[in-house]
Amino acid sequence: MSSTPLALFVGLPNPTLSDDEFALFRETNPLGLFVGRRNLREPGQVKVLIERFREAVGREDAPVFTDQEGGRVQHLDAGPWPLFRSFGEFAELARHDFALGKKALRLSSQAMGTMMSELGLTSGCSPVLDLVFSTTSSVIGARAFGADPDFIAALGREVVDGLLETGNMPIMKHIPGHGRATLDSHKERPVVDASRELLTSTDFKPFVALRDTPWAMVAHVVYSAFDKELPASISPIMHDVIRNNMGYDGVLISDCIFMESLRGTLPERVRQVLDAGFDIALHSHGDLAESEAAAKAASPLTAAAQKRIDAGKARLGTLKVDVRAVHAEVEDMFNSALVA
């Protein structure tokens, strides 16, 4: 096994790591693991799964991610875990009472961050900073805060800081903005034809405002004003836009390469992401054969990417809150404000 991990996240089909998967990960050393509902049953099982993956790759701090935003996108939704509200609901509360909405969101983020950190999960891939319009694909919907970039940035800040405080890594998504896409990038290739000026003054703004967020996930969306053919996640042009125009110097990870906005075989998709200059390809599904194919296509993590990862880790705090008590406090805030 190389001491330098591959610039790749892998997924698993089951709640346990098989001997064959253990051997593959030991041999190939992928940077991290992405787990979903199919992998998350109860705390003891999750901890064992994470520990076994980290044993396989020989790194006690190997990142393990899930999707845990709140609302309909929270993979910790079985077993003993509390259910968290969507960002759309927090936005509604903030429009009713801005200070209360921000406070509730900060507390909720601290509770969610504590819950994940206690399980060994590195990140819930949150917050969503996409704008949302009447024409936005329903794949975003209530996952977003609204259409006002400054409002989104203010609420996103509470999530970013709340997660960092509890040692859980925030990942803003889907940079540079999925909101003007009318198609679901899981199923099709969305094309956004807005001008550079409009995108810069709207969709890009929340990401620029929160460009100190240590990680960002790149959208599988074509922005034709910059690149007429390729989605941002595989576009060298959009890589330069994010790094230079938007001034983002954190870790850039693709959205899941299984999504059908991308084309070609799984190994080709891995190469497309990495050849475009992005730090990491996210392969969040997959059986053993698919993980092996992805690993063969992936290149080692660059020194620059490792430096960005280390810089993010240095910002993680150690705050731990009483998850259920804080969750109940947040619910009381909603009830007292009469926002259902």
Side-chain angles (χ1 to χ4, degrees):
M1 178 175 67
S2 169
S3 59
T4 302
L6 295 176
L8 178 72
F9 268 66
V10 292
L12 296 170
N14 300 305
T16 56
L17 195 69
S18 71
D19 290 343
D20 287 342
E21 288 163 338
F22 186 95
L24 175 65
F25 299 154
R26 168 154 286 184
E27 177 187 354
T28 59
N29 192 16
L31 174 66
L33 175 69
F34 190 97
V35 290
R37 279 186 190 88
R38 64 192 175 279
N39 312 118
L40 305 169
R41 295 290 183 263
E42 52 85 20
Q45 169 265 324
V46 173
K47 291 176 183 177
V48 169
L49 175 63
I50 292 172
E51 288 169 2
R52 188 158 161 79
F53 172 76
R54 288 173 172 157
E55 180 187 355
V57 298
R59 285 175 284 115
E60 293 182 356
D61 62 348
V64 181
F65 292 174
T66 190
D67 268 328
Q68 184 69 17
E69 302 165 9
R72 65 181 171 83
V73 181
Q74 50 185 325
H75 287 178
L76 293 167
D77 62 355
W81 299 298
L83 296 178
F84 292 83
R85 289 179 180 259
S86 70
F87 291 144
E89 291 175 283
F90 282 102
E92 185 179 352
L93 179 61
R95 283 187 283 269
H96 175 81
D97 183 328
F98 189 55
L100 183 66
K102 289 205 302 178
K103 181 179 180 182
L105 187 53
R106 181 66 156 263
L107 289 172
S108 184
S109 299
Q110 291 172 345
M112 196 181 290
T114 297
M115 184 177 77
M116 286 188 281
S117 294
E118 288 177 345
L119 291 169
L121 289 164
T122 312
S123 177
C125 296
S126 183
V128 175
L129 300 185
D130 304 316
L131 277 63
V132 64
F133 309 99
S134 61
T135 55
T136 299
S137 168
S138 60
V139 73
I140 301 298
R143 299 168 65 191
F145 291 117
D148 181 337
D150 295 328
F151 181 76
I152 294 167
L155 294 182
R157 172 59 67 190
E158 300 301 324
V159 180
V160 168
D161 289 353
L163 292 173
L164 281 172
E165 287 164 348
T166 59
N168 198 257
M169 187 64 70
I171 302 179
M172 60 179 182
K173 61 188 186 188
H174 306 84
I175 198 169
H178 204 296
R180 292 188 191 275
T182 59
L183 301 177
D184 181 353
S185 53
H186 291 82
K187 302 173 183 178
E188 303 174 79
R189 176 171 287 186
V191 177
V192 170
D193 287 325
S195 69
R196 295 184 180 214
E197 293 75 20
L198 181 60
L199 289 169
T200 300
S201 63
T202 55
D203 299 58
F204 293 5
K205 280 188 71 175
F207 298 98
V208 172
L210 298 184
R211 62 185 178 272
D212 62 330
T213 304
W215 286 61
M217 181 175 289
V218 189
H220 295 318
V221 175
V222 175
Y223 303 88
S224 62
F226 297 92
D227 188 328
K228 295 185 181 302
E229 296 183 6
L230 298 178
S233 54
I234 59 172
S235 167
I237 295 171
M238 290 309 299
H239 174 270
D240 290 344
V241 169
I242 292 169
R243 290 291 190 210
N244 300 325
N245 298 25
M246 300 176 71
Y248 184 69
D249 192 36
V251 182
L252 285 170
I253 184 170
S254 74
D255 207 342
C256 179
I257 60 172
F258 269 81
M259 292 164 64
E260 289 309 312
S261 177
L262 301 190
R263 294 165 188 166
T265 65
L266 184 65
E268 287 169 346
R269 295 179 186 199
V270 172
R271 290 295 345 145
Q272 287 166 11
V273 169
L274 299 180
D275 287 349
F278 295 102
D279 295 315
I280 302 160
L282 172 60
H283 160 246
S284 64
H285 296 70
D287 58 20
L288 182 68
E290 289 169 329
S291 293
E292 184 173 10
K296 287 180 178 178
S299 50
L301 192 72
T302 67
Q306 185 63 63
K307 185 176 180 180
R308 294 183 185 108
I309 291 171
D310 292 343
K313 285 164 59 176
R315 294 180 57 197
L316 295 174
T318 58
L319 174 70
K320 295 292 179 284
V321 301
D322 184 320
V323 174
R324 292 202 170 274
V326 172
H327 182 267
E329 183 180 355
V330 171
E331 287 302 302
D332 286 343
M333 292 178 178
F334 275 88
N335 294 333
S336 66
L338 300 177
V339 178

